[in-house]
Amino acid sequence: MDKKFVLTAFGYAILGLVLGIYMAASHNHGQMVTHAHIMLLGFVVSFIYAVCHKLWLNNCTSTLSKVQYWLHQLATAILVIGLFLLYGQIIAIETMDPILAIASITAFIALVLMKVLLVKRS
């Protein structure tokens, strides 16, 4: 699981930096919130989860760890796409709010599951 998290983390880092470079080149920083979520939730949190798997979870591939991985990836992807559409003024906030709320709760659940995995291993 650590390798999956590391690979997805660096995928998000690449995506976040591409968006950041685009914003800098275009002098349009309208996607700053999207950029921050890509870098923090996508890159940093995924990387921290990889470290947790490597150092404390012995790379376990239990059903719970797989569910945690996919919940985090699903939530992150939906948040990133949703924020991009919202801050790009492609979809109205009234439409995006419930979707972003569900994705945020899903990311929270994934975080709680990581805590559960760590508690179960100690």
Side-chain angles (χ1 to χ4, degrees), residues 6 36-37 39 43 60 67 72-73 86 88 95 103 105-106 118:
V6 164
H37 278 77
M39 295 307 291
F43 174 55
C60 75
V67 167
H72 176 74
Q73 299 312 316
L86 177 65
T95 305
I105 292 167
T106 303
L118 288 165

Side-chain angles (χ1 to χ4, degrees), residues 22-35:
Y22 168 77
M23 288 189 305
S26 68
H27 302 287
N28 177 355
H29 295 87
Q31 291 288 353
M32 194 174 301
V33 173
T34 307
H35 169 74

Side-chain angles (χ1 to χ4, degrees), residues 71-85:
L71 278 179
H72 176 74
Q73 299 312 316
L74 179 67
T76 303
I78 291 171
L79 277 168
V80 166
I81 293 166
L83 290 170
F84 184 82
L85 295 172

Side-chain angles (χ1 to χ4, degrees), residues 5 49 52-53 57 68 110-118:
F5 272 115
Y49 288 163
C52 289
H53 272 280
L57 298 177
Q68 189 276 335
L111 178 64
V112 170
L113 289 179
M114 179 54 74
K115 169 86 180 216
V116 168
L117 285 165
L118 288 165

